[in-house]
Amino acid sequence: MTAQTSNSHFSGGFRDPAIQSSHVFRAAMTAMARPGEIKPITGATPPEGLSIAAGCLLLTLCDPETSLYLAPDVDHPAVRDWITFHTGAPFVPAQDADFAVGGWAALTPFDRFRIGTSEYPDRSATLIVELPSFDAPNAELSGPGIKTRAEITLPDIEVLQANAALFPLGFDTYFTAASDICALPRSSRIEPLLMKEG
Amino acid sequence: MSDYNFAYLDEQTKRMIRRAILKGLAVPGYQVPFASREMPMPYGWGTGGVQVSAATLTPEDTLKVIDQGADDTTNAVSIRKFFENTAGVATTEETEKASVIQTRHRIPEAELSEDQILVYQVPIPEPLRFLEPRETETRKMHALQEYGLMHVKLYEDISQHGAIATSYAYPVKVAGRYVTDPSPIPKFDNPKMNMAAIQLFGAGREQRIYAVPPYTEVVSLDFEDFPFEASKADHPCDLCAAEDSYLDEVILDDAGNRMFVCSDTDYCRSRRDAGHMGRLSEEAA
Ligand SMILES: [Zn+2]
């Protein structure tokens, strides 16, 4: 280990955990309460392979009491070491996970994630899905948290519609891109956005 | 500052509460179990609401605390002081200036905005509890949407009293799915639950958190032939003449003289400041 601590798993956490996690949680809560709305979050500098936003969410929500699944595209030793050092969250297979992180394709298939039980729908996974950007909205949301309609960029409309059809069961999703987040709870109704003629 | 817990609770406890809040928002009206912690105040003093507020506050927040609409009761003052001391947040009595409002038994009269969060203190979160004491059974009833008994109970009210007698904690259905307890607010407040702000509910002793996201449909249970009516006082506030607010009755003397004043003290004061005068404004001044 050299003096280059910026590359070690000891670095890149919150400098002031209580305050920074309060800010990240407030953004994450507001995002979950208002599906489709994009919120910036900062404070963590995770290793290569994880976005700032995904890193911030993990530091704020995960600890030894929450199990975590890393999809193959983010499952690198540096990422594992960083998450273990900063959160202590145990790594588990997808079907046992409270949280799962990765790109959309790497997280496939989605029917293996926990959707809760009819008596405990909260016992379900929260997915953190890394996207390149949010700049190509292709779907429209309605339902709780949305005044009229909200546009959102989704990687696969049909899979997420199938999840929404399970309500009140289902997984909940945070999409992350660079240092932005956007949430899609299972309660949102999803319609494809009709492309306007150019 | 390293051994100092922001907003009293340690980080692991706040994470557990925060995860419950997120699941509550994702499944509106569903009661999420959480491991309630001992707080430096007795149950009945809003320990559930205090824990939800503690997990929600940031140092930049401005907090308002009301108890039955008033900012100056012992309970409201002590909770406000608690967060001034443990989270260093600013506090206010003005509804419009608050970013987080913790409440016991009322919804403020002023319309809340998208940038506000309303945290309710809840004594009994299970609306079906008086019909069925066993938690395993009420869980099943919610799972199966078996809400017939609740309707029967309300309908018995109508046949006995000619109207639904329940005037507090009047049950609602959230987002067309879960029957939910709105906490012991007067049913006058029920229609306000269709709001722009985020509503979070914390029950400390019962260890439940639930939530209503902004613009979520909240419907008070009723019947086609007996539609829900938000009870409304048939007279204006004696201090500010408001005709649209929930009134408390105040006994003035042994002769039985009474007055009716806004339960929301900030609403009443802001109306009086704006020049509105009620029947007893002169005497009260
Ligand atoms: Zn008044």
Side-chain angles (χ1 to χ4, degrees):
Chain A
M1 195 70 37
T2 69
Q4 275 189 310
T5 49
S6 63
N7 290 328
S8 103
H9 58 265
F10 301 116
S11 65
F14 289 142
R15 215 171 286 265
D16 189 351
I19 304 305
Q20 285 174 297
S21 58
S22 80
H23 289 143
V24 170
F25 175 69
R26 179 62 77 80
M29 181 182 93
T30 306
M32 192 59 83
R34 301 189 211 156
E37 193 167 307
I38 295 166
K39 293 278 189 192
I41 51 174
T42 55
T45 316
E48 179 121 12
L50 271 190
S51 67
I52 288 173
C56 288
L57 285 177
L58 292 172
L59 296 193
T60 301
L61 298 174
C62 295
D63 58 31
E65 292 178 10
T66 57
S67 54
L68 177 63
Y69 169 70
L70 294 182
D73 62 334
V74 296
D75 192 357
H76 310 302
V79 170
R80 280 194 170 232
D81 289 347
W82 187 80
I83 291 171
T84 300
F85 179 76
H86 290 286
T87 74
F91 298 108
V92 298
Q95 62 271 19
D96 300 326
D98 296 314
F99 290 86
V101 193
W104 183 259
L107 285 165
T108 312
F110 289 86
D111 57 8
R112 58 193 173 145
F113 292 107
R114 294 163 67 215
I115 57 171
T117 67
S118 60
E119 288 172 24
Y120 292 94
D122 56 302
R123 295 179 181 172
S124 54
T126 302
L127 310 186
I128 300 173
V129 179
E130 300 266 38
L131 294 183
S133 76
F134 295 146
D135 58 10
N138 58 346
E140 207 172 47
L141 306 179
S142 60
I146 301 162
K147 192 172 186 181
T148 51
R149 303 264 157 198
E151 291 189 356
I152 189 168
T153 304
L154 297 180
D156 186 323
I157 291 174
E158 277 181 31
V159 166
L160 292 163
Q161 279 177 326
N163 180 61
L166 299 172
F167 183 87
L169 306 189
F171 54 78
D172 306 301
T173 307
Y174 280 109
F175 295 105
T176 50
S179 60
D180 287 335
I181 60 167
C182 168
L184 179 70
R186 67 192 87 172
S187 60
S188 293
R189 289 181 288 275
I190 305 166
E191 293 295 332
L193 195 60
L194 299 173
M195 292 301 156
K196 292 181 188 76
E197 293 294 318
Chain B
M1 294 285 271
S2 58
D3 56 350
Y4 155 84
N5 286 335
F6 174 73
Y8 185 78
L9 295 173
D10 63 88
E11 288 306 293
Q12 188 149 349
T13 299
K14 276 186 279 185
R15 276 192 295 272
M16 177 266 297
I17 295 170
R18 286 167 176 164
R19 292 191 295 260
I21 291 173
L22 295 180
K23 288 300 174 192
L25 286 164
V27 190
Y30 163 75
Q31 302 163 54
V32 185
F34 82 110
S36 182
R37 294 295 195 261
E38 290 287 328
M39 298 301 285
M41 54 197 73
Y43 287 123
W45 280 57
T47 54
V50 167
Q51 289 176 81
V52 168
S53 291
T56 302
L57 285 170
T58 69
E60 295 75 24
D61 274 311
T62 301
L63 177 71
K64 171 183 166 81
V65 183
I66 48 172
D67 179 3
Q68 310 252 26
D71 299 83
D72 57 0
T73 70
T74 314
N75 189 327
V77 170
S78 81
I79 292 171
R80 206 159 56 230
K81 284 234 150 53
F82 174 76
F83 282 118
E84 280 173 355
N85 293 336
T86 60
V89 294
T91 57
T92 184
E93 296 192 2
E94 293 176 57
T95 301
E96 289 80 2
K97 289 188 178 160
S99 52
V100 176
I101 301 171
Q102 184 173 324
T103 181
R104 176 174 174 272
H105 301 189
R106 276 309 313 276
I107 295 175
E109 305 291 356
E111 195 174 326
L112 301 185
S113 74
E114 284 194 351
D115 300 321
Q116 294 179 303
I117 297 165
L118 185 59
V119 178
Y120 296 75
Q121 302 173 199
V122 182
I124 302 168
E126 178 50 74
L128 307 173
R129 183 63 67 228
F130 73 101
L131 296 167
E132 170 54 64
R134 288 165 299 178
E135 172 70 12
T136 48
E137 292 304 307
T138 52
R139 289 242 153 224
K140 267 184 215 149
M141 290 162 80
H142 284 294
L144 300 168
Q145 290 188 269
E146 222 177 77
Y147 296 134
L149 271 180
M150 176 63 96
H151 278 96
V152 168
K153 153 76 175 80
L154 292 174
Y155 211 87
E156 278 171 2
D157 268 11
I158 295 171
S159 48
Q160 280 176 22
H161 310 286
I164 295 174
T166 307
S167 54
Y168 292 88
Y170 189 104
V172 295
K173 192 175 236 188
V174 176
R177 179 56 181 82
Y178 286 96
V179 167
T180 302
D181 185 291
S183 87
I185 56 172
K187 68 177 181 179
F188 172 87
D189 282 343
N190 275 27
K192 292 190 220 157
M193 293 182 76
N194 293 281
M195 65 166 72
I198 297 171
Q199 298 173 79
L200 305 176
F201 299 77
R205 190 184 50 226
E206 303 275 334
Q207 315 210 62
R208 295 289 182 273
I209 286 171
Y210 52 103
V212 177
Y215 308 115
T216 300
E217 184 188 60
V218 179
V219 177
S220 303
L221 300 185
D222 66 356
F223 303 91
E224 246 173 61
D225 42 346
F226 281 94
F228 173 82
E229 268 180 63
S231 56
K232 196 187 162 305
D234 46 11
H235 34 79
C237 170
D238 284 330
L239 295 182
C240 77
E243 293 184 26
D244 58 355
S245 80
Y246 188 75
L247 304 178
D248 284 338
E249 183 178 351
V250 180
I251 307 291
L252 291 174
D253 53 36
D254 293 343
N257 285 310
R258 320 170 293 172
M259 69 172 180
F260 291 91
V261 295
C262 295
S263 131
D264 184 333
T265 52
D266 174 61
Y267 184 73
C268 199
R269 181 179 43 237
S270 63
R271 279 182 54 85
R272 278 179 273 138
D273 289 350
H276 295 280
M277 306 237 302
R279 182 176 66 95
L280 299 174
S281 287
E282 293 306 314
E283 286 118 286

